[in-house]
Structure formats: C-alpha cells, structure tokens
Amino acid sequence: MARRATAVLISGSGSNLQALLDAARDPGYPAAIRLVISNRPEAFGLERARRAGVPAVVVDHRAFATREVFEAEIEAELRTAGIELVCLAGFMRVLTAATVERWRDRMLNIHPSLLPAYRGLHTHARVLADGAAVTGCSVHLVRPELDKGPILVQGVVPVLPDDDPERLARRVLEVEHRAYPRALAMLAGGRVRVEGERAILLDERPGERLILHPSLAR
Ligand code: GRF
C-alpha cells in the first residue's frame, strides 16, 4: 500500500513530531511525514523537521485577521503538498468546525489525559489537584468539540507521590511518544472504521490500543 502523505501541525517543542518522524523513517511504516506547519516561528519543532529533511513552513496566526483566513492558508499548504492525513501535535490553536469537518476521520490529535477525563488545558495540575492515582494520554480523531472524538490509542501512567505538573508531564510524554506513532499507523494503514463516536480497529490484537508506562510493567 502507498504510504499516506501526512502533515504534522505544531506550536512548540515538537517531541511528538519527533516520535512520528522517527517512526516514519521505517520504509514499512504506512505514513510518510511530508510537511510540518507551525503557527509559531520560534517553535523548536521546525528545527526537528529541517533536520529530518521534511519541508517546514510557518503560518503565523498573528498575521491573519480572522481564524478563517489563517486556516485557508494552512489548507492551501496542505493541498499544495498533497496531504492526506493531518496530525495535531501540540498545536495550540482551536480549529473551526469547517476545517475539522473537511478533515473528518483524517485528522488526529494527541491530548495529555485519559479522555474523556480532563479535556482542555492544564491537565496535569488538575489531575494532581484531584489526587488521581492514574493519568495518561489519548490519541483521537478530531471533532469540532475540543479534545473530543473517537479514541484510537491510550497510554496509562501512574501518578507518584512527589509529582509536580512538570514531572508528571515528562512521564506522560514517554507514553505519548509511543502512542502517537501507533495511532497514526492504524489510521494510515486503513485499519480504522468509525461507528458513531467509536473507532473500531480492524483485526485488533488484545492490548493494541493500550500502552502502559514501563513502571507499570510486571
Ligand atoms: C503534548 O503533551 C501533547 O499531548 C499536548 O501538547 C504537548 C506537546 O508536546 N497536546 P510536544 O510539542 O509534542 O513536545
């Protein structure tokens, strides 16, 4: 099967982008990263793209009068590059429903919590404030409602007694970097069917949609 041309949209460090670039170096991986778009010119992820030899462009939201024209510019970049799938990876702009619908079931997002818990910002601080024993990450198909949509893969992480939001974020990122490449492989490999608000994974192997932090391994 031809590899699916994929774009990654970022705003910052791009460590999830790096995980996707690393996975896609394997010629057998079903997606190829063909474009990186950042809304922030200073995002380190742009450097990661350049090092990997992937075209990287800045579409700075501050240069556009409305969300619609900002997204039209992104759309033009995606079209020019022949992009089939889009991964949001720490992309800190909320997309309009029109853009999300145009990419329905072809756009993924990663969120640092076990959805549907802790949608929105500051997840790790909220998890700690609630005294939860467990948290993690979710990779899901994007829907117009923020951090909602059919879930493909989740990663599970313990909350430890001396955690602060930064320490917890670092532990969650370890599973994010394994969850995102796995979820993109499922989508790009044509293994995802959506029924209502559920993603069904064709030929699912037990545990395939779940990643445990190494400290949970027995
Ligand atoms: C990750 O925690 C991701 O879940 C969230 O933003 C962060 C991005 O980190 N949406 P990075 O830029 O991939 O390092």
Side-chain angles (χ1 to χ4, degrees), residues 9-19 45 48 88-92 109-113 120-121 123-124 136-138 147 169 172-173 176-177 180:
L9 273 53
I10 60 165
S11 299
S13 154
S15 68
N16 279 290
L17 162 66
Q18 188 67 58
R48 296 181 191 272
L88 307 180
F91 182 67
M92 301 303 283
N109 180 45
I110 188 158
H111 182 73
S113 79
L121 294 173
T123 52
H124 306 305
C137 72
S138 307
D147 301 327
V172 171
L173 275 169
E176 290 189 43
H177 299 160
Y180 216 158

